[in-house]
């Protein structure tokens, strides 16, 4: 009997420096033993110093890639990263519904750390109205989460309150990433928080040692693709346990990357820390 790969489909933009986007997703899935197919939404001119330019692909081109994958290879889960406009968002939502895919992780890439804006206000509205209702987990960082809440809360509010508000707003589970929390980093910790809509909005907190390193480029992409990979590998595992495994993988990838220097800015994570000697 022939063996079968566990598969995820990454729908995202590119990164020629290979630390984020599609390239990070392929690395992450490969490190975890998962076959990663791709649909590119934008060609992004970026490196470790920041984003220089973005060339969005038409919704028709993105749709063609997704259909080509799903009609042939299929998938066990989908990770969605950069979506550039309302046309792309509406199309992806349509295809998720058409193909009946439940295991979808959305990393709402609204802007880069260097300040480049990826999605305008109209696109955010379509994201909330058309795509998020078909998504199992959304993984915003705190600035993205506050942007989704449209000023209803601020960084002065408790992280748990923000996470619960996002779950209520999005109508699905939310993993709120706390890498921007000064209180946590000052205590030598990183902290993420899951509000799990599948278990009555239970809260689970994930902490790891804070590593002082510039090599954090692509952390959000890596975490979301790790979650999608672990969902594909363990379809019956509770979301809190899936996130715990992904969180551990990313924490170790950051720790291992701190020993390396590549590029002149924020270097990538060490995606293959669990494979290399």
């Amino acid at each position: 009997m022939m063996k079968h790969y566990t598969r995820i489909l990454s729908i995202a933009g590119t990164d020629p420096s290979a630390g984020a986007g599609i390239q990070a997703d392929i690395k992450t899935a490969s490190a975890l033993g998962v076959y990663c197919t791709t649909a590119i939404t934008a060609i992004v001119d970026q490196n470790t110093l920041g984003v220089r330019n973005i060339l969005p692909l038409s919704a028709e081109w993105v749709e063609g890639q997704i259909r080509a994958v799903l009609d042939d290879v299929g998938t066990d889960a989908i990770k969605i990263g950069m979506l550039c406009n309302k046309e792309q968002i509406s199309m992806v939502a349509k295809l998720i519904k058409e193909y009946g895919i439940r295991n979808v992780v959305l990393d709402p890439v609204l802007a880069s750390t260097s300040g480049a804006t990826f999605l305008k206000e109209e696109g955010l509205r379509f994201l909330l109205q058309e795509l998020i209702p078909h998504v199992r987990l959304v993984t915003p960082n705190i600035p993205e989460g506050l942007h989704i809440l449209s000023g209803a809360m601020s960084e002065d509010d408790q992280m748990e309150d923000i996470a619960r508000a996002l779950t209520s707003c999005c109508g699905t589970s939310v993993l709120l990433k706390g890498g921007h929390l000064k209180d946590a980093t000052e205590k030598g910790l990183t902290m993420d928080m899951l509000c799990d809509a599948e278990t009555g909005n239970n809260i689970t907190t994930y902490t790891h040692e804070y590593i002082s390193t510039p090599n954090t480029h692509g952390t959000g992409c890596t975490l979301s693709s790790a979650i999608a990979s672990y969902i594909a590998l363990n379809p019956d595992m509770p979301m809190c346990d899936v996130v715990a495994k992904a969180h551990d993988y990313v924490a170790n990838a950051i720790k291992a990357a701190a020993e390396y220097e590549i590029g002149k800015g924020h270097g990538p994570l060490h995606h293959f820390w669990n494979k290399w000697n």
Side-chain angles (χ1 to χ4, degrees):
M1 178 179 290
M2 297 295 291
K3 296 180 179 180
H4 294 279
Y5 292 107
T6 300
R7 308 147 300 173
I8 68 166
L9 165 61
S10 170
I11 304 172
T14 65
D15 175 11
S17 69
I22 287 280
Q23 286 89 335
D25 296 342
I26 295 172
K27 290 180 181 179
T28 301
S30 299
L32 298 177
V34 173
Y35 189 94
C36 183
T37 57
T38 62
I40 295 171
T41 60
I43 308 299
V44 184
D45 177 5
Q46 67 172 310
N47 55 25
T48 65
L49 295 172
V51 174
R52 299 177 177 183
N53 210 345
I54 302 169
L55 176 64
L57 274 65
S58 70
E60 291 76 18
W61 268 101
V62 181
E63 178 175 359
Q65 295 175 77
I66 296 171
R67 288 192 182 277
V69 169
L70 296 182
D71 289 342
D72 180 25
V73 178
T75 197
D76 299 298
I78 290 178
K79 173 264 170 83
I80 302 172
M82 179 192 295
L83 295 173
C84 301
N85 49 52
K86 65 179 184 180
E87 290 79 15
Q88 287 187 0
I89 293 167
S90 296
M91 177 275 299
V92 170
K94 176 189 72 173
L95 293 185
I96 288 172
K97 185 176 180 180
E98 178 182 333
Y99 285 87
I101 298 168
R102 168 60 180 153
N103 291 326
V104 181
V105 178
L106 170 65
D107 183 19
V109 183
L110 306 181
S112 72
T113 303
S114 59
T117 300
F118 296 143
L119 193 63
K120 306 298 184 184
E121 290 299 323
E122 184 181 38
L124 177 59
R125 188 168 66 251
F126 270 73
L127 199 75
L128 288 167
Q129 294 174 354
E130 297 197 21
L131 181 55
I132 286 180
H134 304 293
V135 166
R136 189 173 174 193
L137 179 70
V138 185
T139 64
N141 58 36
I142 288 179
E144 289 167 340
L146 294 174
H147 192 60
I148 289 171
L149 292 172
S150 300
M153 304 191 79
S154 73
E155 289 190 8
D156 293 330
D157 290 297
Q158 293 294 316
M159 192 171 178
E160 180 175 339
D161 293 335
I162 298 172
R164 290 190 182 280
L166 283 166
T167 297
S168 177
C169 174
C170 295
T172 191
S173 298
V174 171
L175 176 66
L176 184 61
K177 298 176 294 190
H180 294 76
L181 276 180
K182 291 182 180 179
D183 288 346
T185 55
E186 286 173 358
K187 295 175 183 177
L189 297 172
T190 65
M191 183 167 65
D192 297 341
M193 188 171 289
L194 172 69
C195 186
D196 190 350
E198 298 174 7
T199 59
N201 293 353
N202 284 347
I203 295 289
T204 305
T205 301
Y206 307 89
T207 59
H208 272 287
E209 175 190 4
Y210 174 72
I211 305 296
S212 181
T213 173
N215 298 333
T216 56
H217 179 52
T219 301
C221 306
T222 299
L223 178 60
S224 54
S225 55
I227 293 171
S229 295
Y230 279 122
I231 288 175
L233 289 165
N234 307 279
D236 297 323
M237 181 178 286
M239 185 61 73
C240 61
D241 295 333
V242 168
V243 173
K245 292 173 73 69
H247 201 263
D248 285 345
Y249 167 78
V250 171
N252 280 290
I254 293 172
K255 186 175 183 179
E259 301 178 5
Y260 289 82
E261 181 179 357
I262 185 169
K264 300 175 182 177
H266 292 279
L269 279 60
H270 191 331
H271 293 92
F272 295 103
W273 64 267
N274 57 342
K275 303 295 183 183
W276 293 14
N277 291 327

